[in-house]
Amino acid sequence: MTPPPVEESLVRFENVSRFYGEVLGVNRVTLAIPPGITSLVGPNGSGKTTLMNLMTGLIRPTRGSVRILGVTPEDPEKLFALVGYSTQFDAFPKGLSGFQFIYSFLRLFGWPREKCERLSWRAIGRVRLNDAAHRKIAGYSKGMRQRIKLAQAIAHDPRVLVLDEPLNGLDPLVRAETIALFRELAAEGRHVIVSSHVLHEVDLISDQVILLSNGYVVAEGKIQGLRSEICDHPMQILIRCNRPAALAARVFELDSIVEARLHADGGGLLVKTRDAGRFYRLLNHIALDGIDIESVAPADDNVNSVYEYLIGGEEPGK
Amino acid sequence: MIAKYWAQMRAVVRLEMKKTFLSRRGLWVYLLAFAPVLMFAGHDLSMMRTREERRAIAAAHPVPAGALLSIQPGMTREEVIARLGEPNVDSRQIRFGGGRIRREFLSYTDGQSRYVFGFADGELQSISVREEETFAQDRLIFATVFQFFFLRLAIFFGCVGIFTNLFRGELIDKSLHYYLLAPIRREVLLAGKYAAGLIAAVAIFTASAALQLWLLSLPYESSLSGHEISAYLGVAALACLGYGSVFLAAGLFFRNPLLPAAGVLIWESANLFLPSALKKISVIYYLQSLCPVVASPHREINPVLALLISSTEPASTILAVAGLFAVTAVVLVFASRRARRLEINYGAD
Ligand SMILES: Nc1ncnc2c1ncn2[C@@H]1O[C@H](COP(=O)(O)OP(=O)(O)O)[C@@H](O)[C@H]1O
Ligand SMILES: [Mg+2]
C-alpha cells in the first residue's frame, strides 16, 4: 500500500508554455508558489494574465502541467473549492446588484440559501461595500467594481486567491484597506497571488515577487534578494538618436557609465550603467544641445531592464 | 452527488431565467411566437362581424331558407323576386358589349349563408352559395399554419434567438468566466443553461399554440379533441427541445449563429427531398410525423418536385418521440464536449 500523499501546499507550474496561435503567452515557466502574498510583476503583455488563467483552467497549457495544491485545473469541482479568481475583465452579468451577484454565483456551489446569504454578507463586509450591496453593479464606480469582484473571489473562503491587477482603479484610501485585507488573508495561511505592472505598488507587501517579461519568468524570490541581484549587475540602455557618436562623447562625462558603444545599425548608442536612475536624470541635461533623442529604452530582457521599467515610473499619470 | 448537480442546475436556471425571458434583444421572439395568435384573432373578429351582419339582415328582412333552396337555373328575374322578395343583401348590374349584354346579381342571406344569383338578360344562370366557414376548414388552416409557419419558422428562429445566446451572449458580454470559475462541471452548466432556454421557449411557444387553438374553436360550437390539442402542444414543446439543443450547440461552435441557423434551415427544408436514411437526422421529420392533421404539401407543389420527394412513411408516435430525444441527446453530448474544451478568450472574439 502506498502511503497517503503529503498534503501539497504549493501552486506548481512545471515547464508550462502557452501559445495563442503563433503568439507567445508564456514560455517554459517553472514555479512553486508557497502560501503568503506573491506578486506577479511585469509590463503589459508580459504574461501575468496568461499565468493566472492557466492556474484557474480558463485556458489550458500548450505544454507542461499546472497543479494547484495538487489539483489539476481541469477539474473545476475540486479546483474551485480551493481557488477564487478575480479576473482583469471589468464585466458583470447584467442587471444584478452587488449582493445578488455574489449570492447567485455562490448558489452554483449547490449550497443552501442561508449559507450563501451568510457568506455573501461576510465577503461584502470584508471589502466594505455593505452600503452599496443592494445597488446595481452597473452604477458602481471602477473602484467599487474592483472590490465587488474581490468579494466574489473570496466569498467561498478559498485557500488560494488569484487576483489580476486588484489595485487598479482604487483610490489611495481603499488601496490601503485592500492591501490590509491581502495581509489578513495571507496571515490566515492562504495563497494571495496578485499581479501588477507597477513594482513599487506591491513590492513592500509581497513575501515573494515573480518578475515577468515577454512571457518569461526573469526573476523570482524575496524582494530583498531581487534588489541585490539587480544592483550587482550593470544595466544596458539603448538610446536612439540622430548623432550617436556625438552623444557617446558626452555620456562619457557621466561618472556612472561603465561602457558606451555605437549600435551596429549606426542609429543609436548602447550604454551600460550601474545607476540607471541617475543616468536618466543626467541624460535630460545633455540632451538639450543639438542632439535629437528619439527613444531611450532598456536594451535587454534581463531582470534589470524589467525592473528599471517597473520602477522607472515611465507610465504617465502614475 | 445527484442532489448537488440538481441544486447547481437550479442555480444556473435562476441566473439565466431573466435573460431568456426578458432580454431586450429577444423581443422579436415574442412577436414571432404570437403573430399567428394575432392572425387567428383577426380571423375570428371578421368572421363574427360577418355573421352578425347576416343575422341582422335576416332578422330585418327574413328570407325563408326553403324558398332559397327552391330556386333553379332558368328561372326569370321576376320569378325569383316573386319567391324571395327584393334582395336583402345587395344587387348589382353589369353591362358590357356596348350595353347590349346585361348581367345582374342578386344577393340574399338566410342569416347564415350568402346566396348570389347571377342573371344574364333576365334569366338565372348561376347560383353561388357562400357557406359560413366551417370548423373543418379552419382546422386545416390551423394545421397548415402550424406546420409551415409555426414549427419551421417561428419556433425555429425563436430557438435561434433564445439558445444561441446562452453561451455566445455571455462571451460577447465578457461575463461567461464567472460560471467557469465555480466548482461546477461544464456538463452541469450546459444542462442548466439548456433547461433555462427550454423553460422559456416551451412557455412562450406552447402558450402561443394554446391561445391559437382556443381562438380556432372560439367561433364554433365544436372544438378539437383533447388528444389533438395535447398533440399540438406536445409537438410545439418537442420542437423547442430539438431545435433548442441544435442552437445551443451552434452558439458554442460558431461565432456568428446566423450561419449555422441558415445551414440548419436549408437542411430542414430539404428534408422532404432527402433519402429516408438522411431524413432521420433532422428535427422536422419527427415533428412532422407527430402532427395530428397532415397538411401535406404534395398537392400544391409541381409534379417534378413531387417526383423527388422520397416517400418515407411517417414514424410512429413512439418512434418519433424517441427519435427526437435521440437527436437531442446526441447534439447535447457534442455540445458538452465542446463546453469542456471551452477556453475564455474574449480578446480574440
Ligand atoms: N487571447 C489572446 N490571443 C492572442 N494573444 C494573446 C491573447 N491573450 C494574450 N495574448 C498575448 O499573450 C501575451 C501575454 O498577455 P497577457 O498574459 O495578457 O499579459 P499581461 O496580463 O501581463 O498584460 C501578450 O503578448 C498578449 O498579446
Ligand atoms: Mg493582464
Side-chain angles (χ1 to χ4, degrees):
Chain A
M1 238 172 75
T2 50
V6 183
E7 199 191 334
E8 171 71 275
S9 67
L10 298 175
V11 171
R12 285 184 189 280
F13 281 73
E14 259 161 55
N15 204 19
V16 173
S17 301
R18 165 69 199 209
F19 289 84
Y20 300 96
E22 300 279 284
V23 181
L24 171 68
V26 293
N27 205 3
R28 296 170 192 284
V29 172
T30 298
L31 288 171
I33 305 175
I37 301 182
T38 301
S39 299
L40 298 179
V41 183
N44 286 326
S46 57
K48 304 182 294 292
T49 300
T50 301
L51 281 185
M52 293 187 153
N53 285 349
L54 285 166
M55 283 180 221
T56 51
L58 291 188
I59 59 175
R60 252 174 230 95
T62 313
R63 274 194 301 275
S65 88
V66 182
R67 288 281 181 285
I68 312 296
L69 314 190
V71 173
T72 164
E74 300 271 343
D75 183 351
E77 284 181 291
K78 287 218 183 87
L79 184 74
F80 293 108
L82 297 174
V83 177
Y85 182 19
S86 161
T87 65
Q88 69 178 5
F89 308 115
D90 189 16
F92 296 87
K94 287 215 187 89
L96 298 182
S97 71
F99 173 78
Q100 285 168 335
F101 168 57
I102 297 187
Y103 171 80
S104 318
F105 282 92
L106 276 175
R107 289 305 295 272
L108 293 178
F109 285 69
W111 293 333
R113 185 178 334 137
E114 306 75 45
K115 178 173 182 182
C116 294
E117 276 176 6
R118 183 166 48 76
L119 291 178
S120 302
W121 283 117
R122 196 185 61 173
I124 288 170
R126 285 194 103 163
V127 300
R128 298 177 202 283
L129 274 178
N130 301 59
D131 295 341
H134 287 304
R135 278 165 42 202
K136 295 260 187 261
I137 295 179
Y140 281 12
S141 69
K142 166 89 181 172
M144 291 162 84
R145 294 200 299 275
Q146 280 285 37
R147 280 188 284 161
I148 201 74
K149 277 199 305 194
L150 181 59
Q152 203 255 336
I154 64 175
H156 57 290
D157 214 6
R159 286 173 60 195
V160 178
L161 274 162
V162 184
L163 310 170
D164 203 352
E165 313 245 355
L167 299 173
N168 243 2
L170 300 185
D171 62 49
L173 185 67
V174 177
R175 181 181 291 234
E177 281 175 5
T178 308
I179 287 173
L181 176 58
F182 294 166
R183 289 202 159 117
E184 228 175 83
L185 291 163
E188 292 164 8
R190 299 175 215 272
H191 289 70
V192 181
I193 303 174
V194 298
S195 73
S196 174
H197 57 268
V198 191
L199 181 60
H200 63 68
E201 184 176 77
V202 289
D203 59 356
L204 293 181
I205 62 165
S206 305
D207 299 311
Q208 193 195 207
V209 174
I210 295 166
L211 287 189
L212 291 167
S213 172
N214 294 319
Y216 289 87
V217 171
V218 289
E220 155 194 16
K222 299 242 183 288
I223 187 69
Q224 293 77 6
L226 272 182
R227 281 189 204 286
S228 59
E229 184 181 345
I230 287 159
C231 289
D232 287 351
H233 296 281
M235 98 170 250
Q236 187 158 257
I237 296 167
L238 174 61
I239 307 155
R240 291 252 169 227
C241 62
N242 58 347
R243 294 161 58 202
L247 182 64
R250 304 278 169 81
V251 295
F252 265 116
E253 296 162 14
L254 305 176
D255 51 9
S256 57
I257 296 300
V258 178
E259 182 192 329
R261 61 190 160 82
L262 296 185
H263 192 257
D265 67 8
L269 185 69
L270 277 166
V271 172
K272 261 193 189 161
T273 172
R274 282 195 192 283
D275 188 345
R278 184 174 154 79
F279 173 74
Y280 283 145
R281 283 193 298 278
L282 290 172
L283 193 63
N284 286 338
H285 296 293
I286 60 170
L288 295 172
D289 46 339
I291 301 169
D292 281 341
I293 293 183
E294 217 177 278
S295 68
V296 181
D300 40 23
D301 253 350
N302 61 23
V303 190
N304 316 43
S305 54
V306 179
Y307 185 76
E308 184 56 34
Y309 167 86
L310 293 167
I311 61 169
E314 281 141 308
E315 297 252 326
K318 286 268 153 153
Chain B
M1 213 58 189
I2 298 296
K4 182 179 122 191
Y5 291 154
W6 186 240
Q8 291 183 321
M9 241 178 88
R10 286 213 314 270
V12 176
V13 169
R14 232 174 284 129
L15 268 163
E16 295 292 316
M17 223 42 174
K18 221 159 85 188
K19 271 181 289 180
T20 49
F21 270 109
L22 293 173
S23 92
R24 215 170 302 152
R25 271 180 295 201
L27 212 64
W28 57 270
V29 173
Y30 285 90
L31 290 179
L32 207 56
F34 288 92
V37 172
L38 292 182
M39 194 193 87
F40 282 106
H43 174 72
D44 281 6
L45 280 180
S46 86
M47 203 158 116
M48 286 194 234
R49 215 174 39 218
T50 315
R51 253 191 220 172
E52 204 61 27
E53 277 169 14
R54 286 181 187 170
R55 291 221 174 99
I57 290 168
H61 308 278
V63 177
L68 277 165
L69 292 174
S70 71
I71 306 294
Q72 300 293 328
M75 289 177 161
T76 65
R77 185 179 189 280
E78 287 66 32
E79 281 173 317
V80 169
I81 290 193
R83 290 198 189 187
L84 302 178
E86 287 295 327
N88 64 357
V89 180
D90 67 354
S91 66
R92 261 183 305 145
Q93 287 192 355
I94 302 169
R95 290 162 183 280
F96 49 96
R100 275 172 291 119
I101 304 170
R102 196 171 62 104
R103 286 189 149 272
E104 189 175 24
F105 298 92
L106 303 181
S107 308
Y108 295 87
T109 179
D110 58 358
Q112 282 180 348
S113 307
R114 178 175 151 133
Y115 294 74
V116 181
F117 301 106
F119 298 88
D121 292 323
E123 181 178 318
L124 181 58
Q125 289 203 318
S126 67
I127 302 176
S128 78
V129 185
R130 185 109 54 84
E131 303 264 3
E132 267 195 335
E133 267 130 299
T134 62
F135 184 62
Q137 284 169 339
D138 276 7
R139 181 167 168 257
L140 197 63
I141 291 174
F142 176 85
T144 313
V145 170
F146 185 83
Q147 285 180 46
F148 292 97
F149 174 78
F150 202 61
L151 286 186
R152 284 162 194 259
L153 294 175
I155 296 187
F156 183 91
F157 282 106
C159 286
V160 172
I162 292 172
F163 287 87
T164 53
N165 258 335
L166 289 172
F167 281 94
R168 182 100 331 248
E170 280 174 359
L171 281 170
I172 292 168
D173 293 346
K174 299 189 199 273
S175 62
L176 185 63
H177 60 276
Y178 291 113
Y179 277 123
L180 306 192
L181 296 176
I184 175 172
R185 294 171 67 109
R186 302 267 174 105
E187 291 85 347
V188 177
L189 172 62
L190 183 115
K193 278 179 171 274
Y194 178 64
L198 203 57
I199 290 169
V202 168
I204 293 170
F205 287 101
T206 55
S208 165
L211 272 176
Q212 292 171 50
L213 287 165
W214 177 68
L215 289 168
L216 168 69
S217 54
L218 188 61
Y220 303 102
E221 313 274 81
S222 42
S223 72
L224 295 183
S225 68
H227 176 257
E228 206 171 331
I229 290 174
S230 45
Y232 276 121
L233 297 182
V235 170
L238 286 174
C240 297
L241 187 94
Y243 286 128
S245 69
V246 171
F247 293 119
L248 174 73
L252 271 167
F253 282 93
F254 296 88
R255 290 231 170 107
N256 181 352
L258 286 183
L259 295 178
V264 177
L265 187 66
I266 290 168
W267 176 257
E268 297 273 305
S269 315
N271 189 265
L272 220 45
F273 310 108
L274 293 176
S276 43
L278 287 181
K279 265 186 200 278
K280 289 169 187 154
I281 312 174
S282 74
V283 173
I284 196 71
Y285 168 72
Y286 302 104
L287 296 176
Q288 196 87 57
S289 307
L290 286 169
C291 282
V293 175
V294 179
S296 157
H298 293 219
R299 264 165 290 141
E300 288 107 71
I301 60 180
N302 78 47
V304 180
L305 280 182
L307 282 181
L308 294 173
I309 296 174
S310 62
S311 52
T312 307
E313 283 296 298
S316 75
T317 304
I318 290 175
L319 276 184
V321 173
L324 201 75
F325 273 97
V327 168
T328 304
V330 169
V331 173
L332 286 179
V333 165
F334 272 103
S336 61
R337 283 233 196 119
R338 176 74 180 189
R340 275 194 83 103
R341 308 294 315 164
L342 186 70
E343 294 194 337
I344 289 294
N345 222 341
Y346 300 137
D349 273 17

